[in-house]
Amino acid sequence: MNNNEAPSELQSVRMRANIQERTGKSLGAWVNIARSLGTDHHKDIVAYLKTEGRMSHSYANLVAHEARKPDAVVETDPIEALFAGDKETLKPIYDAICKAIKTFGKDITFVPKKDCVSVHRKKQFAILQPSTAKRLDIGLHLKQIELTGNLELAGTWNGMLSHRVRIAKMADFDLHVKLWLEAAYDEAG
């Protein structure tokens, strides 16, 4: 492949399959970033991706070619999709919960799914789910803990979790909830 020549079909298939693992972002996410640069110049897009995206020339070239296609599929951010429309008012609460969880340790992974965000240490210990337009539910894996305040058994809401906390406003995310999250984090280690 020459410097700015599009990758061959075989190369493109392999690179598309590996870009997430190699760069930490999907092809669609990189295309969105490239399109947001405000330039349509292949060379400028490649230079930016190599410098700021820290990717090889081959991957930067692939992204630049895709970004310049008018019909390229644009991937939406899964978190943005979760909090789109009437659930957007829950996003600040979600952000505050994530910020608190990140203080527990550096071994935490947030995994966006179709209807929630799964929170893992060595195993899943919580989920954050915008269940309605007015409520975000926190699902927890907790062993032998007394039900107090707004902590309830998960019951049929989610069979893989033991407890649930319903958060309708920022004030509902209080010290008790933070301590329950931290206990679930500790148990997952």
Side-chain angles (χ1 to χ4, degrees), residues 73-87:
V73 174
V74 178
E75 181 180 291
T76 58
D77 179 341
I79 302 300
E80 285 180 23
L82 270 176
F83 293 96
D86 58 356
K87 295 180 180 180

Side-chain angles (χ1 to χ4, degrees), residues 42-102:
H42 183 89
K43 180 179 168 186
D44 295 338
I45 296 170
V46 169
Y48 175 87
L49 294 170
K50 287 170 67 174
T51 304
E52 299 299 321
R54 297 185 175 166
M55 63 176 65
S56 71
H57 180 83
S58 296
Y59 281 99
N61 190 44
L62 171 69
V63 171
H65 278 284
E66 291 298 311
R68 294 176 67 219
K69 288 181 184 175
D71 60 343
V73 174
V74 178
E75 181 180 291
T76 58
D77 179 341
I79 302 300
E80 285 180 23
L82 270 176
F83 293 96
D86 58 356
K87 295 180 180 180
E88 69 184 354
T89 58
L90 298 172
K91 182 70 165 57
I93 298 170
Y94 168 82
D95 291 339
I97 294 169
C98 288
K99 183 177 179 182
I101 290 172
K102 288 176 185 176

Side-chain angles (χ1 to χ4, degrees), residues 10 25 32 70 102 110 119 151 155 163 180-182 186:
L10 180 59
K25 289 185 173 75
N32 287 341
K102 288 176 185 176
F110 295 86
V119 188
L151 181 69
H163 295 80
W180 295 325
L181 274 164
E182 190 166 19
D186 290 341

Side-chain angles (χ1 to χ4, degrees), residues 131-186:
S131 297
T132 72
K134 299 182 187 241
R135 189 185 76 240
L136 185 138
D137 289 332
I138 300 173
L140 300 165
H141 284 285
L142 288 169
K143 297 176 187 165
Q144 301 175 347
I145 190 163
E146 184 180 330
L147 297 179
T148 59
N150 55 348
L151 181 69
E152 61 188 63
L153 293 174
T156 59
W157 173 70
N158 187 313
M160 297 182 68
L161 301 164
S162 61
H163 295 80
R164 169 171 66 173
V165 180
R166 299 173 195 233
I167 307 289
K169 57 188 179 299
M170 193 67 80
D172 293 339
F173 183 57
D174 60 14
L175 179 60
H176 290 102
V177 179
K178 292 174 188 165
L179 292 173
W180 295 325
L181 274 164
E182 190 166 19
Y185 166 82
D186 290 341

